[in-house]
Amino acid sequence: MSAVHEGLFTDEPRLLGSRCARCGGHHFPRHETCAYCSSEEVEPVELSSTGALWAWTAVNAPPPGYRGEVPFGFGVVELPEGVRVISRLTEADPSRLSAGQPMRLVLVALDDDAVTYAFAPC
């Protein structure tokens, strides 16, 4: 299987982001220009593999073209760098999740051909 999109994550797994040398802001995915201060002084970084759950829901109807399992969790995880990542969640039952819950980055099969990243409860 191959990554759903190159340049988003490593095999360890770690998300691939960027950090602005001028203002210190972090971004995901990687950017060539800082979204906070417009500086072009950005450098590639590997972001933290853990974070805290900020928002979540369950997706019960598959999006067009989606071939994976339904339902699946979907949410926002805030990393220590301050970046909020919109992501699949491995937990599909919203009642088993809570605000601030520790989450860890994992790789999951999206379908028979592709691997993507998701966050799982710690």
PDB file of all heavy atoms in Angstrom, residues 17-57:
ATOM      1  N   GLY A  17       5.200  18.889   8.820  1.00  0.00           N
ATOM      2  CA  GLY A  17       4.729  20.261   8.821  1.00  0.00           C
ATOM      3  C   GLY A  17       5.854  21.224   8.523  1.00  0.00           C
ATOM      4  O   GLY A  17       6.910  20.839   8.009  1.00  0.00           O
ATOM      5  N   SER A  18       5.623  22.472   8.851  1.00  0.00           N
ATOM      6  CA  SER A  18       6.659  23.490   8.694  1.00  0.00           C
ATOM      7  C   SER A  18       6.610  24.437   9.881  1.00  0.00           C
ATOM      8  O   SER A  18       5.615  24.514  10.598  1.00  0.00           O
ATOM      9  CB  SER A  18       6.493  24.249   7.372  1.00  0.00           C
ATOM     10  OG  SER A  18       5.205  24.786   7.258  1.00  0.00           O
ATOM     11  N   ARG A  19       7.728  25.143  10.082  1.00  0.00           N
ATOM     12  CA  ARG A  19       7.846  26.118  11.174  1.00  0.00           C
ATOM     13  C   ARG A  19       8.430  27.388  10.593  1.00  0.00           C
ATOM     14  O   ARG A  19       9.409  27.357   9.852  1.00  0.00           O
ATOM     15  CB  ARG A  19       8.762  25.590  12.266  1.00  0.00           C
ATOM     16  CG  ARG A  19       8.916  26.560  13.427  1.00  0.00           C
ATOM     17  CD  ARG A  19       9.979  26.076  14.410  1.00  0.00           C
ATOM     18  NE  ARG A  19      10.229  27.082  15.403  1.00  0.00           N
ATOM     19  CZ  ARG A  19      10.975  28.169  15.240  1.00  0.00           C
ATOM     20  NH1 ARG A  19      11.574  28.389  14.098  1.00  0.00           N
ATOM     21  NH2 ARG A  19      11.141  29.033  16.218  1.00  0.00           N
ATOM     22  N   CYS A  20       7.827  28.509  10.955  1.00  0.00           N
ATOM     23  CA  CYS A  20       8.300  29.804  10.493  1.00  0.00           C
ATOM     24  C   CYS A  20       9.476  30.254  11.355  1.00  0.00           C
ATOM     25  O   CYS A  20       9.378  30.298  12.583  1.00  0.00           O
ATOM     26  CB  CYS A  20       7.177  30.835  10.560  1.00  0.00           C
ATOM     27  SG  CYS A  20       7.693  32.503  10.065  1.00  0.00           S
ATOM     28  N   ALA A  21      10.589  30.574  10.710  1.00  0.00           N
ATOM     29  CA  ALA A  21      11.767  31.042  11.434  1.00  0.00           C
ATOM     30  C   ALA A  21      11.566  32.447  11.992  1.00  0.00           C
ATOM     31  O   ALA A  21      12.191  32.829  12.973  1.00  0.00           O
ATOM     32  CB  ALA A  21      12.994  31.016  10.518  1.00  0.00           C
ATOM     33  N   ARG A  22      10.676  33.241  11.400  1.00  0.00           N
ATOM     34  CA  ARG A  22      10.454  34.608  11.851  1.00  0.00           C
ATOM     35  C   ARG A  22       9.529  34.660  13.072  1.00  0.00           C
ATOM     36  O   ARG A  22       9.871  35.240  14.088  1.00  0.00           O
ATOM     37  CB  ARG A  22       9.883  35.465  10.738  1.00  0.00           C
ATOM     38  CG  ARG A  22       9.715  36.935  11.198  1.00  0.00           C
ATOM     39  CD  ARG A  22       9.148  37.832  10.141  1.00  0.00           C
ATOM     40  NE  ARG A  22      10.045  37.911   8.990  1.00  0.00           N
ATOM     41  CZ  ARG A  22       9.682  38.407   7.828  1.00  0.00           C
ATOM     42  NH1 ARG A  22       8.466  38.834   7.631  1.00  0.00           N
ATOM     43  NH2 ARG A  22      10.550  38.465   6.833  1.00  0.00           N
ATOM     44  N   CYS A  23       8.334  34.051  12.977  1.00  0.00           N
ATOM     45  CA  CYS A  23       7.360  34.182  14.076  1.00  0.00           C
ATOM     46  C   CYS A  23       7.221  32.921  14.923  1.00  0.00           C
ATOM     47  O   CYS A  23       6.589  32.945  15.974  1.00  0.00           O
ATOM     48  CB  CYS A  23       5.988  34.600  13.538  1.00  0.00           C
ATOM     49  SG  CYS A  23       5.085  33.289  12.685  1.00  0.00           S
ATOM     50  N   GLY A  24       7.795  31.802  14.462  1.00  0.00           N
ATOM     51  CA  GLY A  24       7.739  30.561  15.234  1.00  0.00           C
ATOM     52  C   GLY A  24       6.472  29.745  15.022  1.00  0.00           C
ATOM     53  O   GLY A  24       6.306  28.696  15.635  1.00  0.00           O
ATOM     54  N   GLY A  25       5.570  30.205  14.175  1.00  0.00           N
ATOM     55  CA  GLY A  25       4.321  29.484  13.928  1.00  0.00           C
ATOM     56  C   GLY A  25       4.547  28.168  13.209  1.00  0.00           C
ATOM     57  O   GLY A  25       5.434  28.054  12.359  1.00  0.00           O
ATOM     58  N   HIS A  26       3.765  27.165  13.574  1.00  0.00           N
ATOM     59  CA  HIS A  26       3.815  25.857  12.928  1.00  0.00           C
ATOM     60  C   HIS A  26       2.611  25.696  12.009  1.00  0.00           C
ATOM     61  O   HIS A  26       1.548  26.275  12.264  1.00  0.00           O
ATOM     62  CB  HIS A  26       3.801  24.741  13.979  1.00  0.00           C
ATOM     63  CG  HIS A  26       5.095  24.594  14.694  1.00  0.00           C
ATOM     64  ND1 HIS A  26       5.432  25.374  15.785  1.00  0.00           N
ATOM     65  CD2 HIS A  26       6.146  23.770  14.472  1.00  0.00           C
ATOM     66  CE1 HIS A  26       6.636  25.024  16.208  1.00  0.00           C
ATOM     67  NE2 HIS A  26       7.091  24.055  15.423  1.00  0.00           N
ATOM     68  N   HIS A  27       2.786  24.871  10.969  1.00  0.00           N
ATOM     69  CA  HIS A  27       1.739  24.655   9.977  1.00  0.00           C
ATOM     70  C   HIS A  27       1.637  23.178   9.625  1.00  0.00           C
ATOM     71  O   HIS A  27       2.637  22.465   9.657  1.00  0.00           O
ATOM     72  CB  HIS A  27       2.054  25.417   8.687  1.00  0.00           C
ATOM     73  CG  HIS A  27       2.455  26.832   8.913  1.00  0.00           C
ATOM     74  ND1 HIS A  27       3.765  27.210   9.061  1.00  0.00           N
ATOM     75  CD2 HIS A  27       1.720  27.961   9.030  1.00  0.00           C
ATOM     76  CE1 HIS A  27       3.824  28.520   9.251  1.00  0.00           C
ATOM     77  NE2 HIS A  27       2.601  28.995   9.245  1.00  0.00           N
ATOM     78  N   PHE A  28       0.466  22.742   9.281  1.00  0.00           N
ATOM     79  CA  PHE A  28       0.256  21.423   8.687  1.00  0.00           C
ATOM     80  C   PHE A  28      -0.865  21.540   7.684  1.00  0.00           C
ATOM     81  O   PHE A  28      -1.904  22.108   8.003  1.00  0.00           O
ATOM     82  CB  PHE A  28      -0.115  20.367   9.734  1.00  0.00           C
ATOM     83  CG  PHE A  28      -0.404  19.032   9.081  1.00  0.00           C
ATOM     84  CD1 PHE A  28       0.643  18.235   8.666  1.00  0.00           C
ATOM     85  CD2 PHE A  28      -1.706  18.615   8.846  1.00  0.00           C
ATOM     86  CE1 PHE A  28       0.379  17.015   8.036  1.00  0.00           C
ATOM     87  CE2 PHE A  28      -1.968  17.415   8.222  1.00  0.00           C
ATOM     88  CZ  PHE A  28      -0.924  16.615   7.818  1.00  0.00           C
ATOM     89  N   PRO A  29      -0.659  21.013   6.470  1.00  0.00           N
ATOM     90  CA  PRO A  29       0.586  20.426   5.978  1.00  0.00           C
ATOM     91  C   PRO A  29       1.651  21.491   5.746  1.00  0.00           C
ATOM     92  O   PRO A  29       1.424  22.667   6.022  1.00  0.00           O
ATOM     93  CB  PRO A  29       0.148  19.762   4.667  1.00  0.00           C
ATOM     94  CG  PRO A  29      -1.055  20.521   4.227  1.00  0.00           C
ATOM     95  CD  PRO A  29      -1.723  21.015   5.470  1.00  0.00           C
ATOM     96  N   ARG A  30       2.784  21.057   5.204  1.00  0.00           N
ATOM     97  CA  ARG A  30       3.895  21.983   4.969  1.00  0.00           C
ATOM     98  C   ARG A  30       3.474  23.115   4.049  1.00  0.00           C
ATOM     99  O   ARG A  30       2.697  22.928   3.128  1.00  0.00           O
ATOM    100  CB  ARG A  30       5.081  21.251   4.350  1.00  0.00           C
ATOM    101  CG  ARG A  30       5.777  20.374   5.346  1.00  0.00           C
ATOM    102  CD  ARG A  30       7.014  19.746   4.780  1.00  0.00           C
ATOM    103  NE  ARG A  30       7.717  19.072   5.877  1.00  0.00           N
ATOM    104  CZ  ARG A  30       8.640  18.161   5.697  1.00  0.00           C
ATOM    105  NH1 ARG A  30       9.007  17.821   4.474  1.00  0.00           N
ATOM    106  NH2 ARG A  30       9.219  17.599   6.736  1.00  0.00           N
ATOM    107  N   HIS A  31       4.012  24.308   4.338  1.00  0.00           N
ATOM    108  CA  HIS A  31       3.773  25.501   3.530  1.00  0.00           C
ATOM    109  C   HIS A  31       5.103  26.117   3.142  1.00  0.00           C
ATOM    110  O   HIS A  31       6.099  25.961   3.845  1.00  0.00           O
ATOM    111  CB  HIS A  31       2.973  26.548   4.322  1.00  0.00           C
ATOM    112  CG  HIS A  31       1.578  26.167   4.624  1.00  0.00           C
ATOM    113  ND1 HIS A  31       0.558  26.294   3.730  1.00  0.00           N
ATOM    114  CD2 HIS A  31       1.015  25.657   5.745  1.00  0.00           C
ATOM    115  CE1 HIS A  31      -0.579  25.884   4.275  1.00  0.00           C
ATOM    116  NE2 HIS A  31      -0.319  25.489   5.496  1.00  0.00           N
ATOM    117  N   GLU A  32       5.107  26.854   2.063  1.00  0.00           N
ATOM    118  CA  GLU A  32       6.291  27.589   1.623  1.00  0.00           C
ATOM    119  C   GLU A  32       6.301  28.999   2.202  1.00  0.00           C
ATOM    120  O   GLU A  32       7.339  29.641   2.262  1.00  0.00           O
ATOM    121  CB  GLU A  32       6.335  27.674   0.095  1.00  0.00           C
ATOM    122  CG  GLU A  32       6.430  26.315  -0.584  1.00  0.00           C
ATOM    123  CD  GLU A  32       7.728  25.590  -0.255  1.00  0.00           C
ATOM    124  OE1 GLU A  32       8.781  26.253  -0.217  1.00  0.00           O
ATOM    125  OE2 GLU A  32       7.673  24.370  -0.031  1.00  0.00           O
ATOM    126  N   THR A  33       5.128  29.489   2.617  1.00  0.00           N
ATOM    127  CA  THR A  33       4.974  30.823   3.186  1.00  0.00           C
ATOM    128  C   THR A  33       4.199  30.695   4.491  1.00  0.00           C
ATOM    129  O   THR A  33       3.246  29.932   4.583  1.00  0.00           O
ATOM    130  CB  THR A  33       4.195  31.738   2.218  1.00  0.00           C
ATOM    131  OG1 THR A  33       4.881  31.760   0.968  1.00  0.00           O
ATOM    132  CG2 THR A  33       4.085  33.154   2.752  1.00  0.00           C
ATOM    133  N   CYS A  34       4.581  31.461   5.496  1.00  0.00           N
ATOM    134  CA  CYS A  34       3.905  31.412   6.789  1.00  0.00           C
ATOM    135  C   CYS A  34       2.505  32.019   6.682  1.00  0.00           C
ATOM    136  O   CYS A  34       2.339  33.142   6.207  1.00  0.00           O
ATOM    137  CB  CYS A  34       4.720  32.170   7.828  1.00  0.00           C
ATOM    138  SG  CYS A  34       3.943  32.190   9.462  1.00  0.00           S
ATOM    139  N   ALA A  35       1.527  31.283   7.145  1.00  0.00           N
ATOM    140  CA  ALA A  35       0.141  31.750   7.117  1.00  0.00           C
ATOM    141  C   ALA A  35      -0.113  32.834   8.161  1.00  0.00           C
ATOM    142  O   ALA A  35      -1.102  33.557   8.071  1.00  0.00           O
ATOM    143  CB  ALA A  35      -0.805  30.582   7.357  1.00  0.00           C
ATOM    144  N   TYR A  36       0.772  32.977   9.142  1.00  0.00           N
ATOM    145  CA  TYR A  36       0.583  33.954  10.210  1.00  0.00           C
ATOM    146  C   TYR A  36       1.219  35.302   9.909  1.00  0.00           C
ATOM    147  O   TYR A  36       0.644  36.343  10.194  1.00  0.00           O
ATOM    148  CB  TYR A  36       1.131  33.402  11.529  1.00  0.00           C
ATOM    149  CG  TYR A  36       0.545  32.065  11.896  1.00  0.00           C
ATOM    150  CD1 TYR A  36       1.315  30.918  11.869  1.00  0.00           C
ATOM    151  CD2 TYR A  36      -0.797  31.945  12.235  1.00  0.00           C
ATOM    152  CE1 TYR A  36       0.775  29.684  12.196  1.00  0.00           C
ATOM    153  CE2 TYR A  36      -1.344  30.714  12.552  1.00  0.00           C
ATOM    154  CZ  TYR A  36      -0.549  29.593  12.536  1.00  0.00           C
ATOM    155  OH  TYR A  36      -1.088  28.370  12.841  1.00  0.00           O
ATOM    156  N   CYS A  37       2.447  35.272   9.347  1.00  0.00           N
ATOM    157  CA  CYS A  37       3.163  36.538   9.137  1.00  0.00           C
ATOM    158  C   CYS A  37       3.615  36.753   7.688  1.00  0.00           C
ATOM    159  O   CYS A  37       4.272  37.743   7.397  1.00  0.00           O
ATOM    160  CB  CYS A  37       4.357  36.626  10.086  1.00  0.00           C
ATOM    161  SG  CYS A  37       5.735  35.546   9.657  1.00  0.00           S
ATOM    162  N   SER A  38       3.302  35.831   6.804  1.00  0.00           N
ATOM    163  CA  SER A  38       3.636  35.897   5.372  1.00  0.00           C
ATOM    164  C   SER A  38       5.127  35.764   5.069  1.00  0.00           C
ATOM    165  O   SER A  38       5.549  35.983   3.939  1.00  0.00           O
ATOM    166  CB  SER A  38       3.095  37.177   4.734  1.00  0.00           C
ATOM    167  OG  SER A  38       1.704  37.240   4.871  1.00  0.00           O
ATOM    168  N   SER A  39       5.922  35.392   6.042  1.00  0.00           N
ATOM    169  CA  SER A  39       7.350  35.206   5.816  1.00  0.00           C
ATOM    170  C   SER A  39       7.581  33.989   4.923  1.00  0.00           C
ATOM    171  O   SER A  39       6.833  33.014   4.979  1.00  0.00           O
ATOM    172  CB  SER A  39       8.071  34.989   7.148  1.00  0.00           C
ATOM    173  OG  SER A  39       9.410  34.601   6.935  1.00  0.00           O
ATOM    174  N   GLU A  40       8.626  34.043   4.124  1.00  0.00           N
ATOM    175  CA  GLU A  40       9.036  32.894   3.333  1.00  0.00           C
ATOM    176  C   GLU A  40      10.155  32.123   4.023  1.00  0.00           C
ATOM    177  O   GLU A  40      10.712  31.186   3.465  1.00  0.00           O
ATOM    178  CB  GLU A  40       9.446  33.342   1.937  1.00  0.00           C
ATOM    179  CG  GLU A  40       8.260  33.892   1.147  1.00  0.00           C
ATOM    180  CD  GLU A  40       8.624  34.311  -0.261  1.00  0.00           C
ATOM    181  OE1 GLU A  40       9.807  34.210  -0.646  1.00  0.00           O
ATOM    182  OE2 GLU A  40       7.701  34.747  -0.971  1.00  0.00           O
ATOM    183  N   GLU A  41      10.443  32.505   5.280  1.00  0.00           N
ATOM    184  CA  GLU A  41      11.486  31.842   6.070  1.00  0.00           C
ATOM    185  C   GLU A  41      10.883  30.668   6.831  1.00  0.00           C
ATOM    186  O   GLU A  41      10.829  30.670   8.064  1.00  0.00           O
ATOM    187  CB  GLU A  41      12.105  32.834   7.045  1.00  0.00           C
ATOM    188  CG  GLU A  41      12.773  34.013   6.388  1.00  0.00           C
ATOM    189  CD  GLU A  41      13.251  35.030   7.408  1.00  0.00           C
ATOM    190  OE1 GLU A  41      13.860  34.624   8.425  1.00  0.00           O
ATOM    191  OE2 GLU A  41      12.998  36.224   7.193  1.00  0.00           O
ATOM    192  N   VAL A  42      10.406  29.669   6.118  1.00  0.00           N
ATOM    193  CA  VAL A  42       9.826  28.490   6.762  1.00  0.00           C
ATOM    194  C   VAL A  42      10.730  27.289   6.527  1.00  0.00           C
ATOM    195  O   VAL A  42      11.420  27.201   5.511  1.00  0.00           O
ATOM    196  CB  VAL A  42       8.397  28.196   6.260  1.00  0.00           C
ATOM    197  CG1 VAL A  42       7.437  29.283   6.668  1.00  0.00           C
ATOM    198  CG2 VAL A  42       8.370  28.016   4.762  1.00  0.00           C
ATOM    199  N   GLU A  43      10.750  26.403   7.501  1.00  0.00           N
ATOM    200  CA  GLU A  43      11.588  25.218   7.405  1.00  0.00           C
ATOM    201  C   GLU A  43      10.734  23.979   7.663  1.00  0.00           C
ATOM    202  O   GLU A  43       9.777  24.025   8.440  1.00  0.00           O
ATOM    203  CB  GLU A  43      12.730  25.293   8.425  1.00  0.00           C
ATOM    204  CG  GLU A  43      12.257  25.507   9.848  1.00  0.00           C
ATOM    205  CD  GLU A  43      13.359  25.949  10.809  1.00  0.00           C
ATOM    206  OE1 GLU A  43      14.392  26.451  10.342  1.00  0.00           O
ATOM    207  OE2 GLU A  43      13.160  25.772  12.005  1.00  0.00           O
ATOM    208  N   PRO A  44      11.041  22.863   7.003  1.00  0.00           N
ATOM    209  CA  PRO A  44      10.279  21.640   7.231  1.00  0.00           C
ATOM    210  C   PRO A  44      10.569  21.070   8.615  1.00  0.00           C
ATOM    211  O   PRO A  44      11.710  21.131   9.094  1.00  0.00           O
ATOM    212  CB  PRO A  44      10.760  20.696   6.130  1.00  0.00           C
ATOM    213  CG  PRO A  44      12.059  21.241   5.673  1.00  0.00           C
ATOM    214  CD  PRO A  44      12.070  22.702   5.996  1.00  0.00           C
ATOM    215  N   VAL A  45       9.544  20.548   9.271  1.00  0.00           N
ATOM    216  CA  VAL A  45       9.694  19.915  10.579  1.00  0.00           C
ATOM    217  C   VAL A  45       8.777  18.703  10.661  1.00  0.00           C
ATOM    218  O   VAL A  45       7.779  18.613   9.940  1.00  0.00           O
ATOM    219  CB  VAL A  45       9.373  20.870  11.756  1.00  0.00           C
ATOM    220  CG1 VAL A  45      10.344  22.011  11.831  1.00  0.00           C
ATOM    221  CG2 VAL A  45       7.949  21.370  11.681  1.00  0.00           C
ATOM    222  N   GLU A  46       9.133  17.777  11.551  1.00  0.00           N
ATOM    223  CA  GLU A  46       8.234  16.694  11.922  1.00  0.00           C
ATOM    224  C   GLU A  46       7.494  17.161  13.161  1.00  0.00           C
ATOM    225  O   GLU A  46       8.107  17.620  14.125  1.00  0.00           O
ATOM    226  CB  GLU A  46       9.003  15.410  12.202  1.00  0.00           C
ATOM    227  CG  GLU A  46       9.585  14.787  10.956  1.00  0.00           C
ATOM    228  CD  GLU A  46      10.239  13.442  11.215  1.00  0.00           C
ATOM    229  OE1 GLU A  46      10.147  12.916  12.341  1.00  0.00           O
ATOM    230  OE2 GLU A  46      10.847  12.913  10.271  1.00  0.00           O
ATOM    231  N   LEU A  47       6.175  17.073  13.136  1.00  0.00           N
ATOM    232  CA  LEU A  47       5.347  17.523  14.249  1.00  0.00           C
ATOM    233  C   LEU A  47       5.185  16.424  15.293  1.00  0.00           C
ATOM    234  O   LEU A  47       5.470  15.250  15.022  1.00  0.00           O
ATOM    235  CB  LEU A  47       3.985  17.971  13.720  1.00  0.00           C
ATOM    236  CG  LEU A  47       4.029  19.141  12.739  1.00  0.00           C
ATOM    237  CD1 LEU A  47       2.670  19.342  12.089  1.00  0.00           C
ATOM    238  CD2 LEU A  47       4.500  20.410  13.432  1.00  0.00           C
ATOM    239  N   SER A  48       4.707  16.783  16.466  1.00  0.00           N
ATOM    240  CA  SER A  48       4.479  15.825  17.543  1.00  0.00           C
ATOM    241  C   SER A  48       3.506  14.735  17.093  1.00  0.00           C
ATOM    242  O   SER A  48       2.601  14.976  16.293  1.00  0.00           O
ATOM    243  CB  SER A  48       3.905  16.527  18.768  1.00  0.00           C
ATOM    244  OG  SER A  48       4.813  17.482  19.260  1.00  0.00           O
ATOM    245  N   SER A  49       3.679  13.546  17.641  1.00  0.00           N
ATOM    246  CA  SER A  49       2.804  12.424  17.285  1.00  0.00           C
ATOM    247  C   SER A  49       1.676  12.237  18.295  1.00  0.00           C
ATOM    248  O   SER A  49       0.922  11.274  18.203  1.00  0.00           O
ATOM    249  CB  SER A  49       3.624  11.140  17.168  1.00  0.00           C
ATOM    250  OG  SER A  49       4.276  10.862  18.395  1.00  0.00           O
ATOM    251  N   THR A  50       1.572  13.158  19.244  1.00  0.00           N
ATOM    252  CA  THR A  50       0.477  13.112  20.219  1.00  0.00           C
ATOM    253  C   THR A  50      -0.169  14.488  20.314  1.00  0.00           C
ATOM    254  O   THR A  50       0.440  15.497  19.963  1.00  0.00           O
ATOM    255  CB  THR A  50       0.973  12.700  21.621  1.00  0.00           C
ATOM    256  OG1 THR A  50       1.951  13.643  22.049  1.00  0.00           O
ATOM    257  CG2 THR A  50       1.558  11.288  21.609  1.00  0.00           C
ATOM    258  N   GLY A  51      -1.405  14.503  20.797  1.00  0.00           N
ATOM    259  CA  GLY A  51      -2.117  15.757  20.960  1.00  0.00           C
ATOM    260  C   GLY A  51      -3.352  15.557  21.807  1.00  0.00           C
ATOM    261  O   GLY A  51      -3.526  14.505  22.433  1.00  0.00           O
ATOM    262  N   ALA A  52      -4.204  16.566  21.827  1.00  0.00           N
ATOM    263  CA  ALA A  52      -5.439  16.530  22.614  1.00  0.00           C
ATOM    264  C   ALA A  52      -6.631  16.729  21.696  1.00  0.00           C
ATOM    265  O   ALA A  52      -6.619  17.591  20.818  1.00  0.00           O
ATOM    266  CB  ALA A  52      -5.409  17.623  23.678  1.00  0.00           C
ATOM    267  N   LEU A  53      -7.670  15.942  21.930  1.00  0.00           N
ATOM    268  CA  LEU A  53      -8.874  16.033  21.122  1.00  0.00           C
ATOM    269  C   LEU A  53      -9.570  17.359  21.386  1.00  0.00           C
ATOM    270  O   LEU A  53      -9.789  17.743  22.529  1.00  0.00           O
ATOM    271  CB  LEU A  53      -9.804  14.857  21.445  1.00  0.00           C
ATOM    272  CG  LEU A  53     -11.022  14.697  20.563  1.00  0.00           C
ATOM    273  CD1 LEU A  53     -10.636  14.482  19.102  1.00  0.00           C
ATOM    274  CD2 LEU A  53     -11.866  13.524  21.061  1.00  0.00           C
ATOM    275  N   TRP A  54      -9.909  18.064  20.335  1.00  0.00           N
ATOM    276  CA  TRP A  54     -10.515  19.383  20.441  1.00  0.00           C
ATOM    277  C   TRP A  54     -11.984  19.361  20.018  1.00  0.00           C
ATOM    278  O   TRP A  54     -12.816  20.025  20.619  1.00  0.00           O
ATOM    279  CB  TRP A  54      -9.699  20.354  19.590  1.00  0.00           C
ATOM    280  CG  TRP A  54      -9.990  21.788  19.804  1.00  0.00           C
ATOM    281  CD1 TRP A  54      -9.601  22.554  20.867  1.00  0.00           C
ATOM    282  CD2 TRP A  54     -10.741  22.644  18.954  1.00  0.00           C
ATOM    283  NE1 TRP A  54     -10.047  23.842  20.716  1.00  0.00           N
ATOM    284  CE2 TRP A  54     -10.766  23.921  19.537  1.00  0.00           C
ATOM    285  CE3 TRP A  54     -11.382  22.460  17.737  1.00  0.00           C
ATOM    286  CZ2 TRP A  54     -11.410  24.992  18.965  1.00  0.00           C
ATOM    287  CZ3 TRP A  54     -12.030  23.534  17.159  1.00  0.00           C
ATOM    288  CH2 TRP A  54     -12.033  24.788  17.784  1.00  0.00           C
ATOM    289  N   ALA A  55     -12.314  18.596  18.971  1.00  0.00           N
ATOM    290  CA  ALA A  55     -13.698  18.463  18.487  1.00  0.00           C
ATOM    291  C   ALA A  55     -13.818  17.125  17.763  1.00  0.00           C
ATOM    292  O   ALA A  55     -12.828  16.600  17.257  1.00  0.00           O
ATOM    293  CB  ALA A  55     -14.045  19.603  17.533  1.00  0.00           C
ATOM    294  N   TRP A  56     -15.040  16.561  17.704  1.00  0.00           N
ATOM    295  CA  TRP A  56     -15.200  15.251  17.087  1.00  0.00           C
ATOM    296  C   TRP A  56     -16.648  14.996  16.697  1.00  0.00           C
ATOM    297  O   TRP A  56     -17.573  15.629  17.193  1.00  0.00           O
ATOM    298  CB  TRP A  56     -14.723  14.153  18.031  1.00  0.00           C
ATOM    299  CG  TRP A  56     -15.529  14.076  19.293  1.00  0.00           C
ATOM    300  CD1 TRP A  56     -16.568  13.217  19.565  1.00  0.00           C
ATOM    301  CD2 TRP A  56     -15.391  14.895  20.462  1.00  0.00           C
ATOM    302  NE1 TRP A  56     -17.074  13.458  20.822  1.00  0.00           N
ATOM    303  CE2 TRP A  56     -16.365  14.494  21.395  1.00  0.00           C
ATOM    304  CE3 TRP A  56     -14.529  15.936  20.799  1.00  0.00           C
ATOM    305  CZ2 TRP A  56     -16.509  15.084  22.647  1.00  0.00           C
ATOM    306  CZ3 TRP A  56     -14.688  16.534  22.045  1.00  0.00           C
ATOM    307  CH2 TRP A  56     -15.656  16.105  22.946  1.00  0.00           C
ATOM    308  N   THR A  57     -16.801  14.034  15.769  1.00  0.00           N
ATOM    309  CA  THR A  57     -18.116  13.577  15.327  1.00  0.00           C
ATOM    310  C   THR A  57     -17.929  12.203  14.702  1.00  0.00           C
ATOM    311  O   THR A  57     -16.818  11.698  14.591  1.00  0.00           O
ATOM    312  CB  THR A  57     -18.761  14.566  14.326  1.00  0.00           C
ATOM    313  OG1 THR A  57     -20.128  14.218  14.130  1.00  0.00           O
ATOM    314  CG2 THR A  57     -18.026  14.581  13.001  1.00  0.00           C
TER     315      THR A  57
END
